[in-house]
Amino acid sequence: MPVGAQKDYYGTLGVDRNAKPDQIRKAYRRLARKFHPDVNPGNKSAEEKFKELSEAYEILSDEKKRKVYDQYGFYSDNIPPGGYGPAGGGGGYSPAPQGNADGQGFDFSGFDFSNLGAEGAKTTGGSSFRDIFSQIFSRGGQSESEPEGEERGSDIEHRMHLGFWDAVRGTQVRFNAARNEVCATCKGTGTTSGKPVTCSTCGGSGKTTKQVGSMKFSGTCPTCNGSGKIKPRCPTCNGTGVTRKPETFEVRIPAGVDTGSRVRVPGKGNAGVNGAPPGDLYIVTEVEPHPVFDRKGDNIYVKVPVTFTEAALGAKVEVPTIDGFSTIKIPPGTQSGQKLRLRGKGAPSLRAAGVRGDEFVEVQVAVPRVADERTKEILRELARLNPDDPRKELKEKGAAK
C-alpha cells in the first residue's frame, strides 16, 4: 500500500463501524468463500480481494487490535490499546521504546522524526506517521489457528442456451458443472489429526520482523497467531476443507422461461463450512429468437400481411400461434399497423401456474402491383367514389403559422 493511503477495514467487509463480532465474522465468511482462490482459479483480482478480506478480519475480529485500529486508523503490535502519550516539551508523537519484556520492538535508528507535527502529520509530503505503520503491518493471510464457524455454501450460476420452443414448452436438460464438495479426507476441517508442526513463517518464534528503509518492526506472526505452531494442512484439499469436482445434473426446465430467467436447483451449490448447508445451483437461461414470433415478457407478437380488399371489406384469416394456426377476424376498414389481440395465446407465465400471456397480431396491408388497364380503371373509379384526403389532418396540423 503506498504511503499516505488508508485502509478502511470496515468498508472492506461491508459492515458498520459499530458492527458486533458475530456480524463481522459472518460478513468475512461470506465474502471469503466467494473470493477464495480455489473457487476462482487464475483470477488475480479475486486473489487480491481475498487477501484484503483476510487482513481486515484479522484486525477487526480481535478486540485489542480493533481498539487500536479504531483509535489510530491503523494497527501495530507495538502500540497498546491506550496509545502513547505526546513527547515531552514538543507536543509531538512519541515512538515506542526499542524493546520490551516480550522481546517485541522496533529500531528507529537513522530515521528523522523532526518533521512530524503535533498531530503526527508530516509538514512535507502530506503523509502521516500512522500511514507508515499502516503500510508496514498490512496482513496478507488468514490465521491457520483461527477457528472456523459455520457458513452456508455459496451459490453457483450455470448459463444455458435454449431454443425458442424448448423455452416456451419446457424441456429436460443434462449438463456438467463443477462444484465444491466437503473434503472426504478431513470432513471439511482443512486440517489433519496429526501433531502440530512448527510454523514455517516465523520458524516457531511466533514473531515476524519487517524492515522498511532503516526502520525495523517486529510483531505477531500472522500465520500462527503467535503460537509458533500450526495444525498440518489436509493434503487432499490443501487446508480449504473442500474439493472441486465435476458433477452431472439432470434438471427440468419449466415452460415459459425467457432470457435471464433463473431456475433454482436447491442444495446443489458449493459445500458449506463446518456442517453448514450447501448453497443452491441457478440455471440462467438464454433463449434464441424466433423468425416469426417476437416475445416480450409473456406476450407474443406476430406480423400478418392481409390484402387490400381483406382490410377494406373485412375477412377471417389464419394466423400462426405457438399452439398452431388460429382464425382471427379482420374488421372492415382495418388500417396497416393496427394490432388485434388473441387472449391466452402467449407464453406460459412463471409467476402463476396455468396462466398465459396474449398474442398480438399486427396487420400489414399488402398493396397489389397493378399491371393491366382494367385494374387501373377500377382503382380510379374507387378513388372517385372515396374522395376523402387521408393527409388532410396532417396538412392542417403541419402548416406553418
Side-chain angles (χ1 to χ4, degrees), residues 107-192:
D107 179 11
F108 286 103
S109 58
F111 190 83
D112 182 12
F113 291 97
S114 61
N115 60 350
L116 294 176
E119 298 299 326
K122 294 183 69 176
T123 56
T124 60
S127 60
S128 66
F129 186 70
R130 69 181 182 182
D131 295 332
I132 299 174
F133 274 101
S134 181
Q135 177 188 14
I136 294 171
F137 287 99
S138 63
R139 307 288 184 162
Q142 180 184 355
S143 169
E144 302 230 1
S145 61
E146 187 177 285
E148 289 276 349
E150 288 189 5
E151 185 70 22
R152 177 184 177 275
S154 59
D155 296 331
I156 298 175
E157 283 192 356
H158 180 82
R159 296 192 173 274
M160 177 165 292
H161 191 82
L162 294 176
F164 177 84
W165 293 111
D166 286 338
V168 297
R169 294 171 178 171
T171 186
Q172 188 84 10
V173 295
R174 181 185 177 92
F175 61 94
N176 294 326
R179 59 186 294 264
N180 289 344
E181 297 181 352
V182 174
C183 177
T185 303
C186 66
K187 309 302 181 185
T189 64
T191 61
T192 65

Side-chain angles (χ1 to χ4, degrees), residues 22 25-31 33 148-154 270-279:
D22 185 59
R25 181 184 64 81
K26 289 183 178 180
Y28 168 71
R29 299 300 179 196
R30 174 175 55 81
L31 293 172
R33 299 298 295 181
E148 289 276 349
E150 288 189 5
E151 185 70 22
R152 177 184 177 275
S154 59
N270 288 321
V273 177
N274 278 356

Side-chain angles (χ1 to χ4, degrees), residues 251-302:
V251 179
R252 177 66 187 176
I253 303 297
V257 296
D258 200 357
T259 295
S261 296
R262 291 163 59 88
V263 180
R264 176 174 173 261
V265 185
K268 289 300 181 179
N270 288 321
V273 177
N274 278 356
D280 299 329
L281 168 65
Y282 286 91
I283 301 173
V284 183
T285 57
E286 181 179 347
V287 181
E288 289 182 355
H290 192 274
V292 174
F293 301 110
D294 182 20
R295 181 177 176 183
K296 296 178 181 179
D298 296 336
N299 294 327
I300 300 291
Y301 294 80
V302 61

Side-chain angles (χ1 to χ4, degrees), residues 224-242:
C224 64
N225 252 4
S227 67
K229 301 286 185 180
I230 59 174
K231 292 182 179 180
R233 285 188 175 186
C234 171
T236 303
C237 64
N238 197 28
T240 62
V242 296

Side-chain angles (χ1 to χ4, degrees), residues 294-351:
D294 182 20
R295 181 177 176 183
K296 296 178 181 179
D298 296 336
N299 294 327
I300 300 291
Y301 294 80
V302 61
K303 295 179 179 180
V304 176
V306 297
T307 65
F308 174 78
T309 53
E310 286 175 332
L313 302 177
K316 291 182 178 181
V317 299
E318 285 191 332
V319 297
T321 72
I322 61 174
D323 301 316
F325 280 89
S326 293
T327 300
I328 189 172
K329 183 178 181 181
I330 306 295
T334 296
Q335 303 297 310
S336 189
Q338 187 172 336
K339 291 184 176 65
L340 306 174
R341 175 185 291 186
L342 289 172
R343 296 186 181 276
K345 290 295 184 178
S349 174
L350 294 176
R351 297 182 297 272

